[in-house]
Every structure is written in structure tokens, then in C-alpha cells.
């Protein structure tokens, strides 16, 4: 596939008339909002170019708590519209991506010192009933010490509730949206940054730069989508010379991962004395994910990491509830991200709305900027973005199509997941059930193109943990992976299991594959004929 191939060379009229060939949309930002918009637009027949200065999901979109949820705590801030929309989206996403999104039950212990039980019960009743199409099990009250899931908690927690939400492999959700967009004709260019853009009456003329090589090119688009996340305001002001009518508020959220703290399948939602909540979630079979914090952030969004105070805060949050305690020494991995929230001028970072604001400036060719949002509502945000741009995009179908169309690999019934795992273990001799589960969980039906029929030799070289060459090659060829970090921390979480020497060997394998792909791409261009040229004299 040639997802990063050059667009058609175009002649540009210096008088300001539209070039002969241009994109309908130039999307800046390869997070969940940018890829979601690119997918929706490409599926409606638009010519789309998406550029991301790093890897897909390099920043905020891979640093979430990995939940597809309505946001139970947002009810406390009367965010009923946001919660209702998110709950409906939860149902849709569970259906279109059953491989990377699945239901999860949550235990909410009641603490007499915090929110009263009647308030929790009322909030959970609303949570169960705001979405009329809810298919997940509803809330039930618990006597905690009589439940297996409650016995891991300290004895002073007597009452509690169990409710439903969803879990997601967040960075894979981003990649699969990009993959589907590319399959529908979009051009996806990672490690490519917007240097500058000139605005004309009917189009944008943008200069792009490939980060690894410094090579630059000019492209043209009828409209520009600013989905740059934490850099949305900076891009408007510094690259587009547009004064924003809205502000973004940066809030750092950090998570820690520790060895598995409990054997139950449920996750836990824990109330803290500062009225914040922290989740403790089963993670990658052998671990527990704990987060998140809410810290105002005014520093460089490219350089964000967890502080010692945040680690201490998260450990104390867990120790307040669980019999088994943890210390900072138990942390095996941590990650932090900067959430670009729409600034509603709330005094408390935890109270800032998680809703989104779409700002369109059409003083000339339009630019639409995305402020805020949450991963659960990305698909709806994309619909709203194209609705706002519809007067400026020729031939754009009004109706979105993404609510029912599965993401790549998601074209199977959730109930058949176990059968697919079993079929894979039968097909590949010696493949463990755990590895087969991980592969089907990551790729769904795409696993049939990742692993060719045959014996273990078809898996390619073993590169550490349960990672084999065929999977790495697939991620390079089809999912824009270019480094060990891309594969170990975004396309998977195998970074928790590989040793440093294995990571270096993986990067060597990646470099060899990229070199071979580059040589294969260049080879057909070597001929005895002189290159043809366009009318403007540029080699075609």
C-alpha cells in the first residue's frame, strides 16, 4: 500500500485562483479526533490528507484511562447532554469495534465520609437510563464483604455498587480509524508537520515537512481541520495567523502500572477526599492500571511526565481502599498526557468540561478547530465537524455512515470472540491461547491477513515475549509503525514484557524491513527511458 505516496503535482495560479488539483480536507493531527474526521470524510467521497508530526496517537490519545464511558462523575456537574451522548456512543463503539472495545464492570465502594449513598444511587439510576438503547447489565447494590470483588477491599467498606462501562485499546482505536480512512482513499502521512499555510479565498496553500528528512512539499486544500490537540491554539496563532475566539486549557493526567493487585475481573472506581476519583483497572493480564490525576499544565506539551507527588497521590488513593497496599517502588511503568480541554473558566481542573467546542473561521477558505472532547465521543465530534463544514465542501453527502460500519477487523459478532481465538490456535500449531487471544483482541478478523496459513515458521523470527516478525512486518506495512516504541507502546503494550536487548533487536528488524520496502519502492522507477514531465516541467 502507498498510504504516504505523493499527491498529484498541481499547477498553481499565482493570481490566487484554485489550483487544478487540490484536497478537499487537510487534517492536522493524528489523534482520535483527526483520524475520526478523516475516516468519516473519506467515506463520504472527500479527498483527504492527514498529517501528524509524530506517530499516530503519540500524545493525548494514547495517554487516556482506556475507557469508553459516559462519564459518571460528569453528572455531578450537570453535564447531562455530554453524558447522554457518550452513553449512546458507548453502545455504537461496542458494536463496531468488538475486538478492541469490550464491556467492563466497575465496583464503586461507598465511603461515609464522601458522597452519600443516596446521591450515588441517584447518579447510577440516571446513568442506566439516559441511554434507552443500553445493552449492558445495569447497576446492582452490593454488600461488599459477601462478594469476591468486595473482599479485596478493606473491611471498613461495607456497601457499594456495581455498574457497567467499556474498555478500549485507545491508541489502536486511533490507528484503525486511520487505516479505514486510508482504505477509503485518504492519504495518511505520519512524521510530517505543517510548517505554514497561506489562506486564499477558495483554498489553503500549505507547506509540509517530513520530520526525519527535512524534505518539504506544497499541497492545497479547500478546507483545513485543526485537530492538533494541545497545540490547537498555537497552530492557529503561529502557523495560520488567526486569532482564536476560544481558549484551550491544558490539564496533565498521569497513570501508573503496578503488578496485578486483585484477581477479580472487575475494575474499581475510588472516591478521594478531594472529591476526585481514581480508577484501578485490570491491565494486560498481569498488571493493574491506576489513574488519573488532574494537574494544570502550562509547560511544553511535548515534554510531559509523571511527578513524584502524582505517584504518591495515586498510591495513597489505592491504599485508602485495598487490603493489599502499594508503594512507589511497585510502579513498573507510568505515562502522562496533556488533555486539551475547552476552557470554560472553571476554577478547578477536575471541573473543567470534557465536552468539545468546534470553532469554524471562514474569512476566506475555512479552518475548523477542535477544542476539547473525549475519546468516547470522537465519532460524534467528527459528524458535527463535517456538518459545520458542509457549506464549504462540494458534493459532501449530508448523512454520516460511521455509526454502523465496523472498524477494520471488527466485522464479527462479540459472542464469537472465543471461537475465533480457538480457531487461531488450531490453525497455528503451538500458538498459545494467551497469544491467540492477544492477536484477536488487537486485530480481529485482520489476523487472517497478518498470519499466513502454515506452521510456526510462518510467524517469522521471534522478537521477544510473544512478538513475531509477521506481526511487526504487518504493523510496518499497514499501520505506519516506524520504531520500536510505535509497536511496543502504541500498537501494543508489549513494552511491559520485552527486555532492553530484545527492544534493540526489534528496532534492527524494523530498520531492515523499512530499508527493504524503500528499495522495493525505488526499483520500479529505474528504467532506460527519460522521465516524463508535466506541462509545468516537473518530473511526473
Amino acid at each position: 500500500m502507498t498510504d504516504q505516496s505523493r499527491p498529484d503535482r498541481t499547477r498553481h495560479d499565482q493570481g490566487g485562483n484554485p489550483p487544478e488539483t487540490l484536497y478537499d480536507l487537510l487534517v492536522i493531527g493524528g489523534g482520535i479526533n483527526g483520524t475520526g474526521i478523516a475516516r468519516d470524510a473519506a467515506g463520504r467521497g472527500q479527498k483527504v490528507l492527514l498529517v501528524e508530526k509524530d506517530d499516530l496517537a503519540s500524545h493525548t490519545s494514547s495517554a487516556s484511562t482506556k475507557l469508553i464511558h459516559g462519564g459518571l462523575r460528569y453528572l455531578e456537574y450537570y453535564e447531562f447532554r455530554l453524558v447522554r451522548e457518550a452513553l449512546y456512543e458507548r453502545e455504537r463503539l461496542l458494536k463496531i469495534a468488538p475486538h478492541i472495545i469490550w464491556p467492563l464492570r466497575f465496583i464503586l465502594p461507598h465511603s461515609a465520609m464522601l458522597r452519600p449513598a443516596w446521591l450515588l444511587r441517584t447518579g447510577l439510576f440516571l446513568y442506566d437510563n439516559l441511554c434507552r438503547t443500553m445493552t449492558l447489565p445495569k447497576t446492582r447494590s452490593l454488600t461488599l464483604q459477601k462478594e469476591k470483588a468486595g473482599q479485596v477491599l478493606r473491611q471498613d467498606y461495607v456497601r457499594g455498587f456495581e455498574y457497567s462501562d467499556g474498555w478500549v485499546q485507545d491508541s489502536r482505536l486511533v490507528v484503525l480509524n486511520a487505516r479505514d480512512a486510508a482504505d477509503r482513499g485518504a492519504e495518511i502521512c505520519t512524521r510530517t508537520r505543517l510548517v505554514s499555510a497561506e489562506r486564499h479565498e477558495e483554498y489553503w496553500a500549505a507547506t509540509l515537512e517530513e520530520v526525519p528528512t527535512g524534505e518539504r512539499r506544497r499541497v492545497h486544500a479547500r478546507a483545513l481541520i485543526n485537530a492538533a490537540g494541545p497545540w490547537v491554539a498555537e497552530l492557529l496563532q503561529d502557523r495560520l495567523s488567526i486569532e482564536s475566539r476560544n481558549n484551550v486549557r491544558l490539564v496533565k493526567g498521569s497513570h501508573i502500572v503496578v503488578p496485578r493487585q486483585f484477581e477479580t475481573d472487575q475494575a474499581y472506581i475510588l472516591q478521594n477526599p478531594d472529591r476526585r476519583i481514581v480508577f484501578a483497572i485490570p491491565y494486560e493480564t498481569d498488571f493493574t492500571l491506576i489513574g488519573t490525576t488532574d494537574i494544570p499544565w502550562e509547560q511544553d506539551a511535548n515534554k510531559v511526565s509523571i511527578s513524584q507527588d502524582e505517584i504518591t497521590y495515586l498510591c495513597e488513593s489505592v491504599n485508602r481502599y485495598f487490603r493489599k497496599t502499594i508503594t512507589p517502588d511497585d510502579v513498573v511503568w507510568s505515562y502522562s498526557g496533556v488533555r486539551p480541554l475547552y476552557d470554560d473558566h472553571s476554577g478547578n481542573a477536575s471541573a473543567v468540561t470534557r465536552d468539545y467546542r468546534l470553532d469554524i473561521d471562514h474569512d476566506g477558505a475555512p479552518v475548523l478547530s477542535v477544542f476539547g472532547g473525549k475519546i468516547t465521543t470522537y465519532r460524534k465530534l467528527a459528524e458535527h465537524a463535517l456538518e459545520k463544514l458542509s457549506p464549504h465542501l462540494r458534493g459532501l453527502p449530508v448523512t454520516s455512515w460511521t455509526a454502523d460500519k465496523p472498524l477494520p477487523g471488527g466485522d464479527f459478532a462479540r459472542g464469537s470472540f472465543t471461537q475465533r481465538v480457538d480457531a487461531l490456535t488450531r490453525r497455528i500449531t503451538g500458538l498459545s491461547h494467551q497469544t491467540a487471544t492477544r492477536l484477536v483482541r488487537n486485530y480481529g478478523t485482520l489476523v487472517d491477513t497478518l498470519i499466513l496459513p502454515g506452521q510456526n515458521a510462518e510467524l517469522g523470527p521471534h522478537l521477544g515475549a510473544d512478538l513475531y516478525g509477521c506481526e511487526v512486518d504487518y504493523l510496518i506495512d499497514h499501520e505506519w509503525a516506524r520504531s520500536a516504541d510505535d509497536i511496543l507502546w502504541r500498537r501494543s503494550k508489549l513494552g511491559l514484557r520485552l527486555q532492553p536487548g530484545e527492544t534493540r533487536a526489534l528496532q534492527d528488524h524494523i530498520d531492515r524491513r523499512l530499508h527493504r520496502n524503500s528499495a522495493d519502492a525505488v526499483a520500479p522507477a529505474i528504467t532506460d527511458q527519460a522521465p516524463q514531465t508535466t506541462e509545468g516541467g516537473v518530473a511526473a
Side-chain angles (χ1 to χ4, degrees), residues 20 47 65 89 189 243 273 280 317 331 358 362 413-414 428 439 450 463 465 488 502:
E20 294 174 356
K47 185 176 176 63
T65 313
E89 285 303 294
C189 293
E243 190 70 32
S317 298
V331 176
L358 303 176
H362 46 78
R414 182 175 301 282
I428 307 298
L439 290 173
L450 184 151
L463 297 168
L488 297 180
E502 293 172 325

Side-chain angles (χ1 to χ4, degrees), residues 8 18 61 69 95 99 114 128 156 266 270 282 345 360 377 381-382 387 466 479 534:
D8 296 334
S61 294
H69 66 144
K95 292 176 182 176
H99 47 333
L114 300 172
D128 283 344
D156 41 331
Q266 294 95 328
L270 313 173
H345 306 292
I360 185 167
T377 54
L381 181 153
E387 180 182 328
D466 64 351
E479 292 194 5
T534 64

Side-chain angles (χ1 to χ4, degrees), residues 59 81 90 127 207 328 356 362 453 512 514:
H59 300 283
R81 189 212 62 78
R90 183 187 67 185
Y127 205 64
T207 300
Y356 54 84
H362 46 78
R512 288 193 296 271
L514 291 172

Side-chain angles (χ1 to χ4, degrees), residues 25 68 86 108 196 239 303 311 357 372 418 452 478 501:
L25 282 181
I68 294 294
L108 171 56
S196 62
R239 314 274 176 87
K303 299 176 181 178
I311 294 175
R357 176 68 62 90
T418 300
L452 298 176
H478 299 276

Side-chain angles (χ1 to χ4, degrees), residues 388-421:
K388 279 184 169 288
L389 278 173
S390 59
H392 308 280
L393 296 175
R394 301 174 185 176
L396 178 73
V398 175
T399 306
S400 178
W401 57 276
T402 58
D404 303 313
K405 295 294 183 182
L407 284 165
D411 51 338
F412 67 94
R414 182 175 301 282
S416 69
F417 183 88
T418 300
Q419 293 94 311
R420 290 183 174 277
V421 172

